[in-house]
Amino acid sequence: MEELKDYSGPFKKDLKYEDFSKDVLVELLHGYGEEINLLSLFFARAINERFGQEAMREILVEAWQRMAAPEMEPPRKAAKIEGNDVEAYCKLNQLAGSFPNGRDFYKYKFDLIDNNRAILTVDDCYACRLYEKRGMLNEWDWNCQVLEKEGMLAYMAYVNPEIKVRMLRGGRKDASDEPACKWEFYIE
């Protein structure tokens, strides 16, 4: 059967992802990655409105910490990513559903120095653009400096508890050409 380039034709009662072309699947993956992040924002807003900022922050950190294994296991299995070094951590992040690279959500690159050291530079981040546009500077700083780091610690521990992280840049920017954030991952 020929791969579907769209679903504008008749309804298929037994439709599967495997029926679609690579372009459609890539489009869906990007959309699902954005959906994961937006869902987190909607939950955060609802929690904040009902229970306040402190509860919202605690719940967000806990939720992203709990997401580590469910988010990292599918790419590990699908792409057969083995190992427990920084390189494996970087590969898994490149395929993580909540961290889609390209288009309008995130634009980033990992510079792998060796198997046990890498630098992640996020040049563009949807959350940072949102915080900046709305003048939410304290939320921006907290998201980058606390939530992201706490989530990363859990994701790193999934791969290897010996992986460490150092934030090189994060939070509100001093200049518009600065990256959204920059992190170093390493094993001593």
Side-chain angles (χ1 to χ4, degrees), residues 85-87 89-90 113-119 156 160-168 183-188:
D85 55 12
V86 171
E87 180 180 23
Y89 173 76
C90 294
I113 291 128
D114 61 45
N115 287 1
N116 289 317
R117 186 163 175 250
I119 305 290
M156 292 177 330
N160 181 343
E162 299 298 315
I163 299 175
K164 296 184 178 10
V165 64
R166 179 177 16 251
M167 185 173 65
L168 304 175
W183 304 85
E184 179 182 21
F185 303 96
Y186 59 96
I187 297 175
E188 295 178 315

Side-chain angles (χ1 to χ4, degrees), residues 1-165:
M1 180 179 139
E2 187 174 327
E3 292 180 338
L4 296 172
K5 294 183 183 356
D6 59 47
Y7 193 26
S8 61
F11 176 79
K12 291 182 54 130
K13 68 178 181 178
D14 59 348
L15 182 73
K16 302 177 294 305
Y17 287 123
E18 294 86 345
D19 296 335
F20 288 98
S21 70
K22 177 182 173 181
D23 290 341
V24 172
L25 294 173
V26 167
E27 186 75 20
L28 286 170
L29 283 170
H30 278 284
Y32 296 152
E34 293 173 15
E35 179 183 356
I36 290 169
N37 284 277
L38 291 173
L39 183 62
S40 174
L41 292 175
F42 293 135
F43 271 103
R45 182 180 300 154
I47 294 166
N48 188 26
E49 289 170 359
R50 287 192 186 181
F51 305 107
Q53 187 177 56
E54 184 177 337
M56 180 263 308
R57 286 180 171 183
E58 289 174 13
I59 292 167
L60 272 179
V61 168
E62 183 178 334
W64 280 108
Q65 288 171 332
R66 290 181 181 196
M67 275 297 297
E71 186 164 24
M72 297 297 237
E73 286 172 11
R76 185 180 284 281
K77 181 180 175 186
K80 296 177 178 47
I81 298 170
E82 297 180 1
N84 65 348
D85 55 12
V86 171
E87 180 180 23
Y89 173 76
C90 294
K91 287 178 179 181
L92 289 166
N93 270 280
Q94 288 175 311
L95 299 177
S98 69
F99 202 34
N101 197 8
R103 301 206 333 196
D104 294 330
F105 220 76
Y106 296 106
K107 290 185 177 69
Y108 65 84
K109 65 180 177 292
F110 281 98
D111 292 311
L112 190 65
I113 291 128
D114 61 45
N115 287 1
N116 289 317
R117 186 163 175 250
I119 305 290
L120 166 63
T121 304
V122 180
D123 291 310
D124 190 27
C125 169
Y126 174 82
C128 293
R129 288 195 316 268
L130 183 69
Y131 292 136
E132 186 173 34
K133 179 180 176 182
R134 295 186 178 174
M136 300 168 67
L137 303 181
N138 291 333
E139 291 84 351
W140 186 358
D141 288 342
W142 181 84
N143 185 82
C144 295
Q145 297 167 4
V146 178
L147 180 61
E148 289 297 329
K149 185 173 183 180
E150 292 300 318
M152 284 180 196
L153 290 170
Y155 281 60
M156 292 177 330
Y158 167 82
V159 176
N160 181 343
E162 299 298 315
I163 299 175
K164 296 184 178 10
V165 64

